[in-house]
Amino acid sequence: MARVSENDVALAILRIAAARPDNLCTFHRARNEVPNHLTLSADDLAVSVTRPNEPLWHQLIRNVRSHHDTEGNFIYEGFLEHVPRRGYLATEAGEKHLK
């Protein structure tokens, strides 16, 4: 099975955030709940070489912010907003995107 993509993870984060009263998906919540929204492969679950205490797919959570200026990215498209040191906020556009 192929690895999940950054946008797969971003969509899961958006779904989690949109279901919350404050529209916020914290980083902690993302790490705990994204696996409930995606099927992670053995490659996704492999331990990171550079961060030995986490699986590889956790990097994709951070990549949503890192690639914010790339077309197609959920922040670039206005679906999510980065909340420094907290997580991601679902925007009105993001909620419309889910529908």
Side-chain angles (χ1 to χ4, degrees), residues 56-75:
L56 286 172
W57 75 269
H58 282 192
Q59 180 62 44
L60 298 175
I61 296 170
R62 293 186 294 277
N63 285 356
V64 173
R65 168 61 179 105
S66 296
H67 302 146
H68 71 277
D69 57 354
T70 303
E71 190 173 335
N73 173 280
F74 275 47
I75 294 174

Side-chain angles (χ1 to χ4, degrees), residues 16 25-37 57-58 61:
I16 294 164
C25 177
T26 64
F27 295 124
H28 178 75
R29 178 168 272 114
R31 287 188 297 273
N32 287 330
E33 294 186 22
V34 164
N36 298 334
H37 295 265
W57 75 269
H58 282 192
I61 296 170

Side-chain angles (χ1 to χ4, degrees), residues 13 19-20 34 37 46 48 50-51 53-55 57-58 70-71 78-79 83 87:
I13 289 169
R20 308 267 318 143
V34 164
H37 295 265
S48 171
T50 57
R51 292 179 183 242
N53 294 325
E54 69 179 44
W57 75 269
H58 282 192
T70 303
E71 190 173 335
F79 302 150
V83 180

